Amino acid sequence: MRKLSATALAAFVVVTLLTSVTLAQHGGGWGPLGQHGKLYDPKSVVTTHGSVTVVERFTPLPGMGPGIHMTVETKQGLVDVHLGPAWYVEQQAPKLAVGDRVAVTGSRITLDGKPTIIAAAVSKGGATLRLRDVDSGVPVWSGGRRARGGR
């Protein structure tokens, strides 16, 4: 009986460690309490329109997993747009590419001295890529009621 309990405990520890490593690799600070999530300010939400000039993977802050970034040329100039973790964005539609006309809604901040938007949604044609709750900034990839606007 004790041997079965020790085996069950060992299995629990291994599963817990593997889950923690996986979540760390996937989340990497993009969640609502992560480094990047803290930058989203619901009081600074804007919608801007323009043409995509760059779409690329990037590491936004030390210790974070790779994310997807794009640059949008607007009437006011170039704006950096941070979409979300690569593992999430690359699985969603619509796919974004250089030359696309888009509408970006998100929190406008200044990052490294440049205008930047932490995107909540990106619309292209009739489709919308949903990334965060506009009012709270909670990422849709974090799951749970909070991501759907609940408390």
Side-chain angles (χ1 to χ4, degrees):
M1 188 80 150
R2 285 181 181 252
K3 194 171 194 177
L4 180 60
S5 295
T7 303
L9 178 61
F12 173 78
V13 169
V14 168
V15 168
T16 301
L17 289 173
L18 289 174
T19 301
S20 297
V21 168
T22 300
L23 289 174
Q25 289 173 341
H26 282 221
W30 283 96
L33 301 176
Q35 297 168 350
H36 214 62
K38 293 177 185 175
L39 298 175
Y40 190 96
D41 180 2
K43 296 179 198 133
S44 70
V45 171
V46 297
T47 298
T48 190
H49 300 81
S51 182
V52 177
T53 60
V54 173
V55 178
E56 63 188 356
R57 278 179 164 243
F58 79 118
T59 301
L61 296 169
M64 291 181 68
I68 302 295
H69 161 273
M70 68 181 183
T71 303
V72 177
E73 186 172 359
T74 70
K75 290 180 183 177
Q76 295 78 29
L78 295 176
V79 177
D80 288 333
V81 179
H82 293 217
L83 301 175
W87 66 264
Y88 176 79
V89 175
E90 290 172 346
Q91 301 302 314
Q92 305 305 307
K95 302 296 184 201
L96 301 169
V98 172
D100 288 346
R101 297 282 308 155
V102 296
V104 178
T105 300
S107 174
R108 187 177 184 98
I109 63 169
T110 300
L111 190 61
D112 296 330
K114 296 191 280 185
T116 303
I117 294 177
I118 307 296
V122 179
S123 297
K124 169 185 158 183
T128 300
L129 170 60
R130 300 223 181 269
L131 299 160
R132 296 176 176 273
D133 177 79
V134 174
D135 296 326
S136 68
V138 174
V140 297
W141 59 85
S142 69
R145 289 177 47 194
R146 289 180 45 191
R148 293 187 300 271
R151 295 196 183 263

